[in-house]
Amino acid sequence: MQSMKAALVETNDGPFRLTEIARPTVNSGEVLVRIHASGVNPLDTKIRAGAAAHARHPLPAVLGLDLAGVVEAVAADVTTFHPGDEVYGMTGGVGGIQGTLAEFASVDASLLAIKPANLTMREAAALPLVTITAWEGLVDRAKVQPGQTLLVQGGAGGVGHVAVQIGVAFGATVFATDSAAKADFIRSMGATPVDYASESIEGYVGRLTDGAGFDLVYDTGGSAVLDASFQAVKRFGHVVSCLGWGTHALAPLSFKAGTYSGVFTLAPLLNGIGRAHHGEILKAAAALVEAGKLVPHLDPQVFSFDTVAEAYAAITDRTAAGKIVVSIVEA
């Protein structure tokens, strides 16, 4: 039996132990990927801590939701990929499916897409979870259209900065809330920044929409930010959230005859339903990337197998300045 190097977590919030485990073999419908880079998301840190009830991953386990790498082998019934293809996807790290902090993963081929040709492996590994989450909210649920006004709550964050770029690419007029320090970054993506700390909801809705509200609001913050989104949307508008938890008053939305939808990006990994759509989203996103309309925002720090713990700490300590990626194969 062949083995591979992997970073194993054995207890909630426990250390990463670099060890040798069995290299997976491909089953029907699967592709064996030699992983070059593993994206790290805030959700990964919550899974490690056992703090995500909706995203259980029995321990001991290999964490990591996102990957970019090279196809090593394919099952006999897989015709969409071939050895040597460069691919990316959100492929595991939840629900007992092996994650991406390993040298290899055998994954459902429908979850993958060909990596954008103009991105490095590190850049590509930063995209899957946040891109699928943003796309499902804006394109699948909200049906974003040219000429609409779109407010992205937390527009400089992981999901937020992708949502901003998708909105711009689809022809919407995009506004994005975040701290004043992120204003230039938001402008660089083609959106108008809103400093949530210095201006009230009523203030920026009045200033930017003459009090009418925004056609679409994408909430990436949850809690009070979702409540603010109900206030910021226009009559007959639509609010979408990827963090729609807690208790919320729906009256502000109902009085406007507005609608709401939620995004649960992990569902296809957990229940096996709709996995092919994830691959389709990443294929469409790759076209945006190659057209220069979607650019991942990476933290400049480079992490490796030996510094996986530091990569996770950069997120939990809030010192990351962009998406965190662990290099499994050194560039």
Side-chain angles (χ1 to χ4, degrees), residues 15 31 53 65 89-90 118-119 138 165 173 211 240 254 272 280-281 288 331:
V31 168
L65 294 161
M90 185 183 78
N118 57 334
L119 294 188
L138 283 183
Q165 294 178 80
T173 300
V240 62
S254 298
E280 293 164 357
I281 290 172
L288 288 184

Side-chain angles (χ1 to χ4, degrees), residues 111-277:
L111 295 167
L112 296 170
I114 296 294
K115 178 184 77 65
N118 57 334
L119 294 188
T120 66
M121 290 291 186
R122 290 185 68 241
E123 290 168 335
L127 282 176
L129 171 64
V130 294
T131 300
I132 293 167
T133 304
W135 190 284
E136 286 189 341
L138 283 183
V139 182
D140 294 345
R141 308 285 191 277
K143 311 293 185 186
V144 62
Q145 300 293 320
Q148 289 183 314
T149 54
L150 164 66
L151 177 68
V152 178
Q153 303 275 30
V159 174
H161 87 287
V162 176
V164 165
Q165 294 178 80
I166 290 174
V168 171
F170 275 69
T173 300
V174 183
F175 305 85
T177 63
D178 219 300
S179 66
K182 307 292 179 60
D184 287 344
F185 175 53
I186 288 170
R187 288 191 190 97
S188 75
M189 296 186 291
T192 298
V194 177
D195 178 10
Y196 65 82
S198 67
E199 191 171 18
S200 68
I201 303 163
E202 295 79 8
Y204 66 72
V205 169
R207 178 172 61 87
L208 298 172
T209 72
D210 292 327
F214 302 91
D215 294 309
L216 306 175
V217 182
Y218 196 131
D219 159 52
T220 70
S223 301
V225 182
L226 180 52
D227 292 324
S229 300
F230 294 154
Q231 296 180 52
V233 76
K234 72 183 296 184
R235 189 168 182 241
F236 302 125
H238 189 81
V239 175
V240 62
S241 178
C242 57
L243 284 174
W245 305 331
T247 301
H248 300 275
L250 295 179
L253 186 66
S254 298
F255 290 154
K256 299 173 182 178
T259 52
Y260 168 82
S261 58
V263 175
F264 183 33
T265 315
L266 299 181
L269 279 177
L270 294 171
N271 60 31
I273 300 171
R275 289 184 174 184
H277 187 49

